[in-house]
């Protein structure tokens, strides 16, 4: 009779690593709208990448008008086959109209479609917040820096997909 221990020993576990990133190439797509907040996300992402071994010359930052333009930009970056992962950064802050819901939903859906259709990590680092205070908290104060977190996710996904 096979015991659980014997069955467990035969299982392969694949997890991402955060080292050996000197050859990793990253494209960062950035929405300029709410730029005074988004730039903190960009700084956080670049800091995370460089701290974990990604070479500066392997990081490209592309700026576009806003979040609605980010899925197409991410698609172009992914199609270029120059990058191992795409990080997408922006900020959508709720206003008085339904525009927030449309932009937030469509940009998230578009980014998911890019990742699935092209088989490349596309990390959604677009903040969707109720107000400026929440955005500030997520761009480097109380809630950490979501740009940094997006970069760490990108590195882990590159590692996982290479291991698979």
């Amino acid at each position: 009779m096979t015991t659980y221990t014997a069955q467990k020993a035969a299982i392969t576990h694949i997890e991402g690593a955060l080292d050996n990133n000197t050859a990793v190439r990253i494209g960062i797509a950035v929405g300029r709208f709410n730029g005074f907040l988004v730039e903190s996300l960009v700084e956080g992402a670049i800091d995370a990448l460089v701290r974990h071994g990604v070479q500066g010359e392997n990081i490209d930052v592309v700026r576009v008008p806003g979040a609605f333009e980010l899925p197409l930009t991410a698609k172009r970056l992914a199609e270029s086959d120059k990058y191992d992962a795409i990080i997408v950064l922006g900020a959508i802050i709720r206003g008085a109209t339904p525009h927030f819901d449309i932009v937030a939903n469509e940009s998230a859906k578009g980014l998911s479609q890019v990742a699935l259709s092209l088989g490349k990590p596309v990390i959604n680092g677009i903040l969707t917040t109720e107000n400026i205070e929440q955005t500030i908290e997520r761009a480097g104060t109380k809630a950490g820096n979501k740009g940094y977190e997006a970069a760490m996710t990108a590195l882990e996904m590159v590692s996982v997909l290479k291991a698979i």
Side-chain angles (χ1 to χ4, degrees):
M1 178 173 165
T2 307
T3 64
Y4 179 75
T5 305
Q7 289 176 346
K8 188 174 179 181
I11 297 171
T12 300
H13 293 271
I14 298 172
E15 294 182 356
L18 296 174
D19 55 356
N20 298 323
N21 294 313
T22 55
V24 171
R25 299 164 303 158
I26 301 290
I28 304 175
V30 180
R32 285 192 314 264
F33 200 79
N34 295 313
F36 65 101
L37 299 164
V38 175
E39 284 308 310
S40 292
L41 300 174
V42 176
E43 290 172 16
I46 291 171
D47 181 44
L49 296 171
V50 171
R51 282 180 189 254
H52 288 86
V54 178
Q55 303 300 303
E57 62 269 12
N58 290 343
I59 303 169
D60 291 336
V61 179
V62 178
R63 287 180 171 76
V64 298
F68 204 74
E69 293 75 31
L70 289 169
L72 177 59
T73 307
K75 183 174 188 263
R76 257 322 144 84
L77 289 168
E79 286 174 339
S80 75
D81 212 28
K82 288 174 46 179
Y83 307 101
D84 298 300
I86 312 302
I87 300 167
V88 181
L89 303 172
I92 308 169
I93 302 170
R94 186 177 297 281
T97 68
H99 185 70
F100 168 90
D101 296 312
I102 294 166
V103 174
N105 291 335
E106 292 304 314
S107 61
K109 185 168 74 173
L111 295 175
S112 294
Q113 288 175 346
V114 171
L116 293 173
S117 67
L118 297 175
K120 208 163 273 228
V122 176
I123 310 306
N124 185 348
I126 301 173
L127 300 179
T128 52
T129 59
E130 295 293 323
N131 52 52
I132 290 176
E133 292 78 20
Q134 287 179 352
T135 309
I136 291 169
E137 288 175 1
R138 288 158 180 77
T141 61
K142 282 197 259 184
N145 187 307
K146 299 304 178 184
Y148 190 100
E149 292 176 21
M152 297 301 288
T153 300
L155 292 176
E156 187 170 349
M157 286 303 299
V158 167
S159 177
V160 165
L161 293 178
K162 283 182 181 179
I164 293 172

